[in-house]
Amino acid sequence: QVELVESGGGLVQAGGSLRLSCVASGGTFGNYRMGWFRQAPGKEREFVAAISTNEFITAYEDSVKGRFTISRAVAKNTVYLQMNYLKPEDTAVYYCAADPASWNAPASRSRAVYDYWGQGTQVTVSS
């Protein structure tokens, strides 16, 4: 059983920054590909960022490019999402996701490839 626990969400004014963390347990973290997704009220869960296990290749949704950065600390079993220049439209519950079986796969934008999900952390950006 892979467990993912997100933290770091909160209330921030537009233009501010937050750093989300996701700690994984129950497997070999270095073999996981990881992703961040978000879901706003009344909206479908959408891709935000992802990182591969090979060569640390990253992928981003277009609206967050240049503002968000995904990274991983293998020794700490943790993936991060640094969010800068936040906008009200970034308001959502943010979820981390893991694909333990795809150690050699690239970063993926698809919800379907991720087998495990955290409980989410709320990010609220005020105007």
Side-chain angles (χ1 to χ4, degrees):
Q1 179 70 35
V2 175
E3 296 184 358
L4 305 173
V5 180
E6 304 100 333
S7 62
L11 175 64
V12 65
Q13 292 184 321
S17 298
L18 287 172
R19 189 194 195 194
L20 306 184
S21 299
C22 176
V23 180
S25 63
T28 304
F29 179 75
N31 292 339
Y32 301 175
R33 64 175 165 179
M34 303 292 296
W36 285 97
F37 292 76
R38 66 187 180 187
Q39 188 165 19
K43 305 289 186 179
E44 295 184 358
R45 191 169 300 186
E46 66 177 359
F47 170 77
V48 177
I51 188 166
S52 71
T53 60
N54 57 308
E55 301 181 344
F56 303 102
I57 304 300
T58 58
Y60 296 93
E61 195 275 326
D62 287 344
S63 70
V64 309
K65 286 183 178 178
R67 300 190 297 122
F68 292 9
T69 302
I70 186 171
S71 61
R72 62 192 301 159
V74 177
K76 297 181 179 180
N77 293 346
T78 302
V79 62
Y80 303 98
L81 185 68
Q82 179 67 46
M83 306 186 296
N84 299 323
Y85 310 105
L86 283 162
K87 303 175 181 179
E89 51 262 46
D90 295 319
T91 295
V93 177
Y94 283 70
Y95 300 88
C96 66
D99 177 16
S102 300
W103 63 270
N104 62 342
S108 177
R109 301 170 179 266
S110 175
R111 290 173 292 178
V113 308
Y114 297 99
D115 297 317
Y116 297 94
W117 298 81
Q119 294 298 307
T121 185
Q122 176 71 48
V123 172
T124 302
V125 184
S126 62
S127 300

